[in-house]
């Protein structure tokens, strides 16, 4: 029997790998339902669903390797990063899925969450006040009207696989739905700003860099405490806190 690898595990969900099969266990069945639904709609390579028996979804591993991970070295040629940008553009141009996703949260709700989280970060001594204040100012640029696109909603570089200069698979679709396209681009390049130009070149259209920077700050501010509470380290080199400090 193959060794069981714990890919990620916390109180909300866990992903295990057994050979070429990934087993996703999720306490929220709706997330699994969304994942299966949007993978069938997405016009980009996605994992093959093998079977599902709530609360477990079994999917096949996709070929290739990731372009890196947050806090780790980036890999892949500029052409590979550009190919990822082209795949993201293809997704964003597809017909809209039926419901909003993580990237589709409303401006009013986001502004309220940002204000509350910034207060808690400072009050609890998690981050220095000047870092929080500066990044909150940067984050304001993301709070603007946007045209809905088909978004992944959690497009970390660890979720995009390539073989050479070809995208072979995009995984983890539970946050997908209608949303702000620049949220996906910002999530994908978070902590790897040096590849933003390559991704935009593949994406094939001009983007508002101020909004990309805003989403880097906004996303990082909102997740620091959650990561700490779920066993992750946002203070690790190259991770969310370093992203926030880089805006100073």
């Amino acid at each position: 029997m193959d060794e069981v690898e714990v890919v990620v595990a916390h109180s909300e969900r866990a992903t295990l790998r057994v050979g070429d099969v990934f087993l996703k266990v999720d306490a929220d069945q709706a997330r699994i339902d969304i994942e299966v639904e949007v993978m069938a709609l997405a016009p980009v390579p996605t994992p093959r669903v093998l079977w599902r028996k709530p609360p477990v979804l079994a999917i096949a591993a996709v070929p290739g390797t990731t372009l890196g991970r947050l806090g780790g070295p980036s890999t892949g040629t500029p052409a590979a990063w550009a190919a990822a940008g082209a795949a993201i553009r293809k997704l964003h141009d597809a017909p809209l899925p039926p419901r909003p996703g993580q990237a589709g949260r409303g401006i009013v709700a986001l502004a309220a969450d940002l204000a509350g989280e910034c207060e808690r970060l400072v009050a609890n001594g998690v981050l220095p006040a000047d870092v929080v204040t500066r990044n909150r100012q940067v984050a304001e640029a993301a709070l603007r009207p946007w045209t809905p696109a088909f978004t992944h909603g959690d497009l970390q570089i660890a979720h995009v696989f390539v073989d050479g200069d070809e995208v072979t698979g995009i995984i983890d679709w539970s946050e997908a739905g209608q949303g702000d396209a620049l949220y996906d681009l910002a999530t994908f390049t978070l902590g790897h700003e040096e590849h933003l130009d390559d991704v935009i070149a593949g994406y094939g259209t001009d983007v508002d860099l101020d909004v990309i920077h805003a989403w880097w700050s906004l996303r990082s501010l909102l997740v620091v405490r959650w990561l700490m509470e779920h066993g992750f380290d946002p203070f690790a080199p190259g991770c969310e806190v370093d992203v926030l400090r880089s805006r100073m």
Side-chain angles (χ1 to χ4, degrees):
M1 182 175 179
D2 291 297
E3 180 179 347
V4 176
E5 174 191 358
V6 178
V7 179
V8 64
H10 50 77
S11 59
E12 295 179 4
R13 67 186 86 168
T15 300
L16 310 175
R17 179 169 186 168
V18 185
D20 289 332
V21 177
F22 285 90
L23 302 176
K24 304 189 70 173
V25 185
D26 200 315
D28 184 351
Q29 182 58 37
R31 281 194 291 251
I32 294 293
D33 293 340
I34 290 170
E35 181 153 14
V36 172
E37 177 182 328
V38 296
M39 283 197 299
L41 297 173
V44 294
T46 61
R48 181 166 57 95
V49 175
L50 302 176
W51 52 265
R52 57 187 302 204
K53 184 176 181 181
V56 181
L57 171 68
I59 59 175
V62 298
T65 59
T66 68
L67 286 169
R69 60 179 177 81
L70 183 61
S74 58
T75 60
T77 64
W81 283 86
I88 296 168
R89 177 65 183 274
K90 187 174 183 180
L91 174 68
H92 290 168
D93 285 346
L96 294 175
R99 59 176 63 84
Q102 178 66 19
R105 298 169 63 196
I107 296 174
V108 174
L110 271 174
D113 287 348
L114 177 63
E117 195 60 32
C118 287
E119 290 179 7
R120 287 185 286 271
L121 288 169
V122 174
N124 296 333
V126 178
L127 291 173
D130 61 338
V131 172
V132 173
T133 299
R134 171 56 182 155
N135 279 276
R136 183 175 179 181
Q137 293 170 344
V138 173
E140 294 288 340
L143 304 177
R144 88 282 178 230
W146 40 266
T147 301
F150 190 148
T151 53
H152 181 280
D154 190 21
L155 199 62
Q156 305 171 43
I157 58 170
H159 293 162
V160 178
F161 286 73
V162 297
D163 185 0
D165 299 337
E166 178 185 357
V167 174
T168 54
I170 300 177
I171 66 172
D172 285 0
W173 292 82
S174 60
E175 307 290 350
Q178 300 177 25
D180 180 1
L182 297 191
Y183 179 94
D184 272 355
L185 289 174
T187 301
F188 184 63
T189 54
L190 183 74
H192 290 285
E193 185 171 355
E194 71 276 11
H195 290 293
L196 179 59
D197 287 345
D198 297 326
V199 173
I200 293 174
Y203 195 71
T205 187
D206 292 335
V207 302
D208 190 331
L209 294 181
D210 287 341
V211 176
I212 296 290
H213 298 160
W215 274 123
W216 287 342
S217 290
L218 180 51
R219 189 181 193 279
S220 297
L221 286 169
L222 291 181
V223 301
V224 165
R225 285 193 318 113
W226 185 95
L227 291 168
M228 294 171 63
E229 292 168 359
H230 289 78
F232 302 99
D233 184 9
F235 288 85
C239 292
E240 286 82 2
V241 173
D242 274 357
V243 170
L244 296 171
R245 288 171 175 155
S246 72
R247 297 299 104 191
M248 300 298 291

